[in-house]
Amino acid sequence: MAFRAATQRALNMRHMMNVTRQPITLSSVRPQSTLNTGEIVEDPQIGNYPNLPRFSTQTRGPYGWDDPQDKRNFGETVHEEDELYGVWAPDLHHYSPVKAASQLALFAAVFASFAGIVYKFYPERPVVQRTYPYNGLSEEFGEREGDIRRRAARVGTHEDEE
């Protein structure tokens, strides 16, 4: 609940004007127009074009349309902001923040459990690493005195060499 109040406070227009100390005109800030609210927003710039309510076409049924891809009939008036309310607009989500956070936490717990199980039961190497005699064959690989990076194979101790 505190997260929701803090988010609403941060997105509040008056609060933003007080924080930024710059005049923000209300016409320059668009509300969340992808919401399926059904309200009619008065816009003086559209002229004689019909002012349609805010309904996303994603909420329409999949059958019974002349254009089933866009869920539209022939001759139907297109909303002025069709790119925000059409089928190809950002998806409408009906998840609460608590549900989204719990699903994220569940995924993290399952992933961490799987990683822990793999770490716990991952077998050791069934062989011993190969080692080379004569200081890792450094002379055979062309190592010189001033080399920064060593030119040799792994150097190990063999009990056989003693």
Side-chain angles (χ1 to χ4, degrees):
M1 194 65 163
F3 177 74
R4 179 179 287 172
T7 306
Q8 287 176 348
R9 199 175 323 111
L11 296 177
N12 191 354
M13 281 298 299
R14 291 186 192 124
H15 182 68
M16 285 177 62
M17 289 174 63
N18 290 338
V19 170
T20 59
R21 302 281 186 218
Q22 296 174 356
I24 298 175
T25 59
L26 294 178
S27 62
S28 67
V29 177
R30 167 177 260 147
Q32 290 184 350
S33 54
T34 56
L35 295 176
N36 195 27
T37 59
E39 65 180 333
I40 297 177
V41 178
E42 296 298 324
D43 188 0
Q45 297 178 350
I46 62 173
N48 294 337
Y49 198 78
N51 199 2
L52 300 173
R54 293 179 165 185
F55 283 118
S56 176
T57 55
Q58 293 178 7
T59 59
R60 294 181 174 183
Y63 304 110
W65 305 103
D66 293 335
D67 181 9
Q69 184 173 3
D70 286 333
K71 298 180 183 177
R72 184 177 298 140
N73 287 324
F74 180 76
E76 183 179 351
T77 307
V78 178
H79 196 280
E80 176 202 7
E81 297 174 328
D82 183 53
E83 69 276 0
L84 298 175
Y85 302 116
V87 178
W88 306 110
D91 291 336
L92 297 174
H93 297 288
H94 303 288
Y95 287 111
S96 68
V98 173
K99 184 175 181 181
S102 64
Q103 288 180 351
L104 182 63
L106 176 68
F107 169 75
V110 168
F111 186 79
S113 300
F114 180 73
I117 289 170
V118 168
Y119 180 77
K120 174 96 173 140
F121 294 109
Y122 195 74
E124 292 184 24
R125 297 180 80 179
V127 296
V128 178
Q129 266 191 334
R130 185 172 183 177
T131 57
Y132 297 94
Y134 305 113
N135 198 14
L137 301 176
S138 58
E139 187 176 323
E140 286 76 6
F141 281 137
E143 184 177 12
R144 293 176 295 233
E145 269 300 308
D147 282 349
I148 296 172
R149 196 174 126 228
R150 192 154 184 252
R151 296 185 192 185
R154 287 181 293 272
V155 179
T157 58
H158 275 300
E159 297 169 9
D160 307 344
E161 295 176 4
E162 296 178 356

